[in-house]
Amino acid sequence: CDGILDDDECDAFGPTDEDQDCDGSPVTEDCDDADPSRYPGAPDPQNGEDNNCDGVDGLLCEGDRTEATATGCSRITGNLELGDGSSAQLDTLQIVDGSITGTPYSLVARRLHTVGGNIDFGYASELGTLTLGALTNVGGHVNITSAYWLDAALDQLQTVGGDVVLDDLGIHAVS
């Protein structure tokens, strides 16, 4: 396969479904038909590009997750439930289609930018760190209630579909 469509090497799909990068995916399904490493079903390491054409850079995780089963996910199609007093460092997480709920001690998800549902931490007795510095959109409400926060970063939040409740007795820093 030489990538040139003037011969019969790569155009087995017919004249409208040509495969210009010879990765086996017709141009109508390929998210980048000039790059043979990007096609539906390709391995998709978190590298700044959506290699497998699912709309997310990295691993798409179907259904509901906990902090333990969300490790490595870039997108969660369900909800994220954080356990009582848990500490979650979710460096790859970008999108949660559902809600994030629970009573964690800490949540660090620096790349998380979209939550389709609510963020509801009910009453976390002590919330040590909440780092959601890239979060711009929440489809539902934001309710974070804690007796004490050490640090909370929500500085990029632009759109919230419901109420925002930050109820706290001892905020140390919110940005």
Side-chain angles (χ1 to χ4, degrees), residues 24-157:
S25 291
V27 69
T28 56
E29 297 173 17
D30 204 324
C31 50
D32 184 351
D33 206 37
D35 184 345
S37 68
R38 298 181 67 203
Y39 57 89
D44 196 13
Q46 199 158 18
N47 61 359
E49 292 184 345
D50 174 20
N51 291 351
N52 66 0
C53 307
D54 68 357
V56 177
D57 174 26
L59 181 62
L60 176 68
C61 296
E62 303 268 346
D64 294 344
R65 298 291 171 143
T66 66
E67 66 271 8
T69 61
T71 301
C73 296
S74 296
R75 181 177 191 163
I76 297 172
T77 62
N79 300 312
L80 174 60
E81 174 69 31
L82 302 172
D84 185 29
S86 64
S87 292
Q89 176 114 11
L90 302 173
D91 295 324
T92 60
L93 189 59
Q94 300 170 45
I95 300 169
V96 175
D97 290 341
S99 295
I100 301 177
T101 59
T103 54
Y105 172 73
S106 70
L107 172 60
V108 177
R110 289 182 178 90
R111 298 185 71 198
L112 179 66
H113 58 80
T114 302
V115 175
N118 304 316
I119 296 177
D120 193 347
F121 290 162
Y123 184 80
S125 59
E126 182 176 341
L127 187 57
T129 303
L130 178 62
T131 304
L132 304 173
L135 185 64
T136 56
N137 298 299
V138 177
H141 68 261
V142 176
N143 175 24
I144 303 170
T145 304
S146 175
Y148 181 77
W149 282 354
L150 178 61
D151 188 26
L154 298 164
D155 52 321
Q156 298 296 315
L157 191 58

Side-chain angles (χ1 to χ4, degrees), residues 6-30:
D6 58 356
D7 51 32
D8 290 327
E9 289 181 287
C10 296
D11 52 1
F13 296 106
T16 60
D17 292 331
E18 296 168 338
D19 182 10
Q20 297 179 10
D21 60 6
C22 302
D23 60 10
S25 291
V27 69
T28 56
E29 297 173 17
D30 204 324

